Amino acid sequence: ELSRTKQNQLNLKLGRLENQDLLVTIKEIKNLLDSDKNTHKELVEIFNRLDEEILAKALYYLDEEYKEQILTLLDDSKRSSVESQLLAISNEKLHLKDLANIYETKSLSSLLKEIGNTEQYTMEELGIIYSNLSSIKAAEILSKVNDDDFVKGVLEAIRREQNLNSTESTVDQITKAIEFVKEYDRKINDLVKVYEQMSPEKIAQISEKMINNDKTVTVLNLDSEPQFEVTDAMIITDVLSKLKDKTLSKVISFMSTDNAYKLTQMLAKP
């Protein structure tokens, strides 16, 4: 048996491991396994007494070498229980990653309802989903959310999830993209006010010129790669989509059949 002093030290370690942030706990677990100061008996005692849920979460993010080392220290019943919880965590993470792939193609209105709040998912779950979205898709959603605390919480959850996975953080990219999208939206809204004062026939004339121009007007680069390209066709489509239905109807009536058809298709895109 461990001495009373050793037991007290072990209790302090367990208290820390179970009550601090998971990222810190994972680092401490690595230090415990790498250090020569801990005997095999002490490690067996620590990991067999450590809360199973916390241990399973830590094991998910640990490298295979550490994971196997810990599992061999556990007694049969503890190992079986932890492995079961670890499997459940892995399946849940895979499910959330699969959801991210689905959300990448959904309409913005649907995304705002489903992942633009915490009604369906916890902030931790949203961190996983957003971590697996493209930076521009995440930015498009968050730029439309009128809750600064929610946006801040999601960005923190993304950073935490990526730190746990030891992957490069995309938070700076997403923040940059949010500002780009917000500025673009502000300019579109300003243009809508201008166009509302124009005649439908004049709007139609401008629209027919712009709708067939896919030349890039401006672009958002992330990691030196273009991620969000703004074209004349995109600008006019976004402006027209915000006009009153009655005004839009009159505009389309002044357009050629081909351009009216093309515009209708573009307005119908999610």
Side-chain angles (χ1 to χ4, degrees), residues 2-267:
L2 301 175
S3 68
R4 180 173 297 180
T5 301
K6 286 287 187 180
Q7 281 288 359
N8 289 337
Q9 291 174 346
L10 185 145
N11 290 336
L12 287 173
K13 285 180 183 178
L14 285 170
R16 278 201 315 275
L17 293 171
E18 292 178 349
N19 293 292
Q20 61 195 7
D21 184 78
L22 181 60
L23 187 61
V24 180
T25 291
I26 289 171
K27 289 179 180 178
E28 192 162 338
I29 285 174
K30 289 180 180 178
N31 290 335
L32 283 172
L33 295 172
D34 291 337
S35 174
D36 295 330
K37 296 179 181 178
N38 303 291
T39 67
H40 181 269
K41 183 184 292 186
E42 289 170 341
L43 292 174
V44 167
E45 185 82 8
I46 290 170
F47 290 110
N48 275 283
R49 286 180 55 189
L50 187 60
D51 180 85
E52 289 183 1
E53 183 179 349
I54 293 172
L55 180 55
K57 286 182 178 179
L59 286 173
Y60 175 82
Y61 292 106
L62 282 166
D63 293 339
E64 200 64 32
E65 178 186 351
Y66 289 112
K67 189 184 301 182
E68 290 301 320
Q69 193 174 347
I70 291 170
L71 289 173
T72 59
L73 294 169
L74 303 179
D75 59 42
D76 291 344
S77 62
K78 177 93 172 187
R79 182 169 60 251
S80 177
S81 179
V82 169
E83 286 179 331
S84 177
Q85 291 189 49
L86 181 57
L87 179 61
I89 291 170
S90 298
N91 288 337
E92 177 62 15
K93 300 281 188 182
L94 285 173
H95 173 63
L96 293 171
K97 289 177 182 179
D98 288 341
L99 282 174
N101 291 330
I102 295 171
Y103 285 139
E104 191 73 39
T105 61
K106 278 198 170 188
S107 68
L108 187 57
S109 58
S110 295
L111 292 170
L112 287 170
K113 288 179 183 178
E114 295 180 40
I115 58 175
N117 52 70
T118 52
E119 292 180 9
Q120 290 193 39
Y121 304 102
T122 65
M123 195 58 78
E124 182 180 346
E125 290 169 336
L126 287 171
I128 298 167
I129 292 171
Y130 275 87
S131 292
N132 288 279
L133 290 174
S134 65
S135 294
I136 192 62
K137 177 61 73 173
E140 286 177 333
I141 302 164
L142 296 176
S143 67
K144 302 295 189 299
V145 176
N146 297 316
D147 184 341
D148 291 342
D149 288 338
F150 173 81
V151 174
K152 182 180 178 181
V154 169
L155 292 175
E156 289 176 349
I158 294 171
R159 182 179 284 109
R160 183 173 186 273
E161 180 64 21
Q162 290 172 338
N163 283 338
L164 285 167
N165 283 294
S166 299
T167 55
E168 186 177 354
S169 176
T170 59
V171 171
D172 288 344
Q173 288 188 350
I174 294 171
T175 302
K176 180 182 177 182
I178 288 173
E179 290 307 310
F180 183 92
V181 174
K182 282 185 174 182
E183 180 62 21
Y184 174 77
D185 287 344
R186 280 193 290 269
K187 290 180 178 179
I188 292 296
N189 289 333
D190 288 342
L191 284 171
V192 170
K193 293 175 184 177
V194 173
Y195 274 59
E196 287 283 10
Q197 304 302 314
M198 296 165 59
S199 69
E201 186 175 4
K202 183 63 177 177
I203 296 173
Q205 291 173 358
I206 297 171
S207 299
E208 292 204 280
K209 288 181 179 180
M210 295 184 69
I211 201 170
N212 292 301
N213 186 3
D214 288 323
K215 184 178 179 181
T216 300
V217 176
T218 185
V219 62
L220 168 67
N221 288 307
L222 299 176
D223 286 340
S224 301
E225 293 291 330
Q227 297 293 326
F228 191 88
E229 297 187 19
V230 178
T231 65
D232 275 356
M234 178 180 173
I235 292 169
I236 197 62
T237 303
D238 286 342
V239 169
L240 295 178
S241 70
K242 291 178 178 288
L243 293 180
K244 296 173 183 176
D245 290 345
K246 187 177 180 180
T247 303
L248 179 58
S249 177
K250 289 180 180 179
V251 170
I252 293 175
S253 72
F254 283 110
M255 297 176 71
S256 69
T257 302
D258 287 346
N259 284 333
Y261 174 77
K262 185 174 183 179
L263 175 61
T264 302
Q265 284 186 316
M266 294 176 73
L267 289 171

